[in-house]
Structure formats: structure tokens, C-alpha cells
Amino acid sequence: MSIQQTAEKAKAASKLMAAVDTNTKNDALGKIAEALEANTDAITAANKEDLERAEKGNLARALLKRLKFDGDKIAGVCRGLRSLAALEDPVGKTLASTELDSGLELYKVACPLGVVGVIFESRPDALVQISSLCLKSGNGVLLKGGSEAAKTNRILADIISRVSVEAGLPDGWIGLLETREDVSAMLGLDNCVDLIVPRGSNEFVQFIMNNTNIPVLGHADGICHVYVDRQADLDMAAEITADSKCQYPAVCNAMETLLVHTDIAEQFLPAAKKALDEYGCRLKGCEKTQKIIECEPADEDDWQTEYLDYELSIKAVSRMEDAIEHINKYGSGHTDAIVSSDEAAARKFLSLVDSADVFWNASTRFSDGFRYGLGAEVGISTNKIHARGPVGLEGLLIYKWLLLGNGQTAGEYASGQRQFTHKTLGKDCPL
């Protein structure tokens, strides 16, 4: 089947998906979880082949960690599927209601986008998360994962497609793309695909944007920061620093640059280094940092690098405003945090840092759809239109206006025979 045919099939299925009832969708999610558990051996065997091929191709350590899909990760995605099934169905939710006149009522109601094309990295768990979110939100989906995970993605997509159709979903709602040529073909299908979500480098996202007429929800680099303020609890700061960088460094919400106020740098940096050394983290620092702890020199490129590994750049700043300026200049608008006991400083930081996710006294690793209670995510958006931050169920919805009348005509209002009331109703659409 060609990509054109796959997309057309997904488009037709998406029309039916929009009307699938909540119980059917939740039942499908539960049965997918059961099927993944039952096929754990086959899935891990396929993943082992992918891993062996990737190792022979000298894939980076951080990417190998993402690629691995063992029993623990399968159990994790199954928990996520069941958690998603337990969430309220957002499709059909009334967002606003207005009486235009007696007997003429307008409702703003949430509905699916249609067909979502998602291009993601070599993370098999992402395929399960993305497809399940599209299922729950009533969308069709076209998936293109990294080629390193080809066999794992194929078996996962086959299981999800087969089981969901058996559970009552329309055939073709999920389609798998496997080559770069498939992606190029999809970019031209603006008659079938309603949104593209590219996950990857900023250059990759820009390439997608420049080569399609389809709306793009951009997930750029994850150059995240933690700023340790002059009034920070230093023990707390050390824990947040280690967690933000090292809890899982191969993901986009891991910290890449640590900013430290000079007033506490001599106290804090040795403690931070001790915590980071436990993970074997390679440190690079500005001149002030190098005078306090042993580290390599950092240069201009380091401030704008997403390491995705046990590697961190450190800069000492004399004012919080300098930290904010640094973040807004070098950051990717993803996730940035301040550690401080000064509420006024925290409020200013949260207001002035121009990122999708800005935290106070918390690890950057909390920037995640599952942790936000969104039912996982298709990606983290740094856009300022439609959806921003972790894109979960609500980010895969748009809305339609439903007008319920009783024979009214516009001419009656144009002539002055009738007048608009424009009263807020505050009630759900009755249909």
C-alpha cells in the first residue's frame, strides 16, 4: 500500500474515530495493554535484533538507551495505557455555551484534529504513547519512528492495529511509515494529514516546516536550565541539579546548563560536583566555575548544545537577571527551573523566562505529559499557537461551533425584528 493510500485510509477512518464512544476506546486501550503483555517475548526479541544492529552501527550510548525496549519498559507503557483509559474522555466536551437569543443556542465543543503525522526518535515506547493518545482523542495517526527501531516499531504497530480493530475501532486509523521517502511523501499530503508533529533537532523541525503546507507543531531542542539562586536551599539545589541532569539524561527535559549565583557558587558548586560525579558526569564551566571546581572550559557552543548524555555546562552569574537573559538567549523555550527560597525572585523568574515550562524548586524532569496527568504525550511543543509544553489529549483536539435553533433567520436580526441576547449559559451541549 502506498503512503497516499495509507493516508487516505487514515483520513476516512478518522471521520469514524471522532464518533467512537468512550467505552469502546477505553476497552481498546485495555486490550492493547493485555496484548503487549502477552507478546512480551516476541517484542523483546524484535527489539534485541534492533539493538544488535544499532550496536554494530556504533549508535551513541544515549540513543541505545532510548532504543532498548525490555520487559520493564513494556510494563511501563501498559501502565500508561490503563492510566489513559481511566482519564475523562475530552471528545465532545462543551468548552463554552452562549444564548444568542431565546431558542438559539451556540456551543463550542471539543473534537479531534483528524489525522496526525508524528515523526519521532528511536524510542519504541513513544510509538505506544503516541498511538494511544491519538486513539483516546479520536484521531487517526501516521507514525514514523527512527529506522534503528524498525523491527520493534513494526511489531508494536501490528499489535495495536489488530487489537484495536477487533475492539471496534475503524480499520486504518493507525498507519506506519518506515522510510525517509515515506516522510517526504507524507509532507505533500495536506489533503489527508491535518497536523505534523516532528520530534528531533531544531534543524529537523525547521526542515519539516519549510517543506510542507501542513501545520507543524514544533518540538525543538531541549536545552533546559536550572538556575540556583543566591537564596537557594543548597541541599535541595544539589538534589534538583542531579535529578535534572542525571535521572535520565537522554531525553529532552534533562538539564543541559546549570546557572549558579556567584554569592553561593563557592559553597554550592563543590556539593553539586560531588552529586554529579556519582554519575560520572562530564563538567564544563565558565572561568569563574573553573576557579572553584575542577572542570573543562566551556565555550560559546556549549551554551547552545543539547548533550543528551552525562555532560553538563556550568555558568556563574552575578544577578538573576543575567540568568534570565542567558536562558532566553540560549534556551530552546522548553523547560527551565529556579531553585530559591525567595518567593519574589521565583515569581519574577517564572514571569520573565520565555519557555513552555518554568518551574520553582522542582526538577526539569517533571516536564512530561504523564507526570502532568495528561496521559503521556505526543511531544513537547515550544510553539505559541494551539498547544505549548507537553502535548497530551487536549493538544490533539480542536473545537467546532454547534448552533441549535428553531427556524431563526439572519434577516430577522438584520431588520431589527429580533435582538441578540448573548447570555452565557454555562451548560453542556444537549446533543
Side-chain angles (χ1 to χ4, degrees):
M1 186 183 298
S2 70
I3 297 306
Q4 175 79 41
Q5 292 170 318
T6 300
E8 288 175 351
K9 194 172 181 180
K11 187 67 173 178
S14 72
K15 305 296 185 185
L16 302 175
M17 284 287 286
V20 174
D21 65 273
T22 302
N23 288 338
T24 299
K25 290 189 289 188
N26 290 343
D27 182 53
L29 290 169
K31 288 180 176 176
I32 291 170
E34 292 173 2
L36 293 177
E37 290 167 340
N39 287 275
T40 293
D41 289 345
I43 295 168
T44 53
N47 185 247
K48 184 178 179 182
E49 291 185 48
D50 286 332
L51 282 168
E52 289 173 350
R53 189 175 64 254
E55 287 173 349
K56 290 178 182 177
N58 296 316
L59 190 69
R61 180 181 62 171
L63 299 182
L64 283 171
K65 189 173 181 180
R66 287 187 177 195
L67 175 58
K68 187 176 182 180
F69 196 59
D70 56 12
D72 288 342
K73 285 191 176 181
I74 293 172
V77 297
C78 290
R79 287 194 298 272
L81 286 164
R82 294 184 173 107
S83 174
L84 182 59
L87 293 179
E88 179 184 5
D89 190 344
V91 180
K93 183 177 181 180
T94 299
L95 305 176
S97 56
T98 306
E99 178 195 271
L100 302 189
D101 192 6
S102 178
L104 187 62
E105 297 179 349
L106 180 66
Y107 296 88
K108 183 180 181 181
V109 177
C111 63
L113 289 167
V115 176
V116 183
V118 187
I119 310 163
F120 56 99
E121 63 276 37
S122 298
R123 277 181 58 191
D125 54 328
L127 185 147
V128 181
Q129 293 170 356
I130 294 164
S131 59
S132 61
L133 283 170
C134 288
L135 189 164
K136 179 84 175 194
S137 59
N139 288 287
V141 63
L142 300 176
L143 299 158
K144 171 60 174 78
S147 58
E148 295 85 0
K151 288 185 177 293
T152 316
N153 287 341
R154 196 174 301 134
I155 190 171
L156 290 174
D158 286 346
I159 290 171
I160 293 169
S161 176
R162 172 178 56 80
V163 173
S164 62
V165 171
E166 290 173 356
L169 268 61
D171 186 29
W173 74 273
I174 178 173
L176 184 66
L177 283 60
E178 299 200 64
T179 67
R180 290 182 179 180
E181 290 73 24
D182 290 346
V183 173
S184 296
M186 180 178 67
L187 296 182
L189 299 178
D190 50 288
N191 60 325
C192 295
V193 182
D194 298 284
L195 180 71
I196 291 181
V197 182
R199 294 168 39 146
S201 69
N202 190 48
E203 290 77 14
F204 172 69
V205 173
Q206 289 299 323
F207 172 82
I208 297 296
M209 289 179 172
N210 294 334
N211 287 276
T212 187
N213 291 322
I214 302 168
V216 177
L217 194 66
H219 169 197
D221 293 336
I223 302 177
C224 304
H225 302 77
V226 170
Y227 165 61
V228 180
D229 187 44
R230 60 193 297 269
Q231 294 191 46
D233 178 315
L234 300 189
D235 290 335
M236 176 195 291
E239 290 182 9
I240 289 174
T241 294
D243 190 83
S244 295
K245 176 70 260 185
C246 301
Q247 194 268 334
Y248 191 5
V251 287
C252 59
N253 60 15
M255 172 182 59
E256 306 295 9
T257 297
L258 174 66
L259 302 169
V260 181
H261 198 289
T262 52
D263 285 1
I264 49 90
E266 290 190 8
Q267 277 183 283
F268 174 68
L269 286 175
K273 185 178 188 305
K274 182 179 179 181
L276 295 165
D277 281 348
E278 291 185 14
Y279 297 90
C281 190
R282 178 186 177 191
L283 304 180
K284 299 180 178 181
C286 66
E287 290 185 8
K288 292 179 181 177
T289 299
Q290 293 173 58
K291 293 177 181 178
I292 300 171
I293 59 172
E294 183 180 348
C295 61
E296 299 174 31
D299 58 27
E300 184 74 9
D301 288 341
D302 289 306
W303 309 134
Q304 46 200 326
T305 297
E306 184 180 22
Y307 300 114
L308 296 173
D309 206 345
Y310 292 102
E311 193 166 351
L312 177 68
S313 57
I314 305 173
K315 183 177 183 179
V317 294
S318 57
R319 304 181 307 145
M320 181 179 67
E321 289 77 8
D322 295 334
I324 294 170
E325 183 180 345
H326 180 99
I327 292 169
N328 287 338
K329 179 178 180 180
Y330 295 104
S332 57
H334 192 296
T335 304
D336 301 288
I338 179 174
V339 184
S340 179
S341 58
D342 183 344
E343 184 177 335
R347 186 181 297 111
K348 184 174 184 179
F349 184 91
L350 269 59
S351 297
L352 295 180
V353 169
D354 187 18
S355 296
D357 307 88
V358 192
F359 301 161
W360 177 24
N361 290 343
S363 168
T364 60
R365 289 282 290 119
F366 282 106
S367 177
D368 174 85
F370 175 74
R371 293 183 175 118
Y372 278 18
L374 304 179
E377 65 192 35
V378 297
I380 294 182
S381 170
T382 53
N383 284 16
K384 294 186 179 180
I385 296 178
H386 179 62
R388 196 179 189 198
V391 180
L393 289 174
E394 291 186 1
L396 293 173
L397 299 173
I398 190 62
Y399 54 82
K400 60 174 67 174
W401 296 97
L402 304 182
L403 184 61
L404 311 183
N406 189 29
Q408 293 90 343
T409 62
E412 295 175 282
Y413 297 88
S415 66
Q417 289 177 265
R418 305 193 69 161
Q419 304 294 323
F420 290 112
T421 57
H422 290 149
K423 294 179 181 177
T424 298
L425 291 172
K427 68 176 186 178
D428 290 340
C429 180
L431 300 182

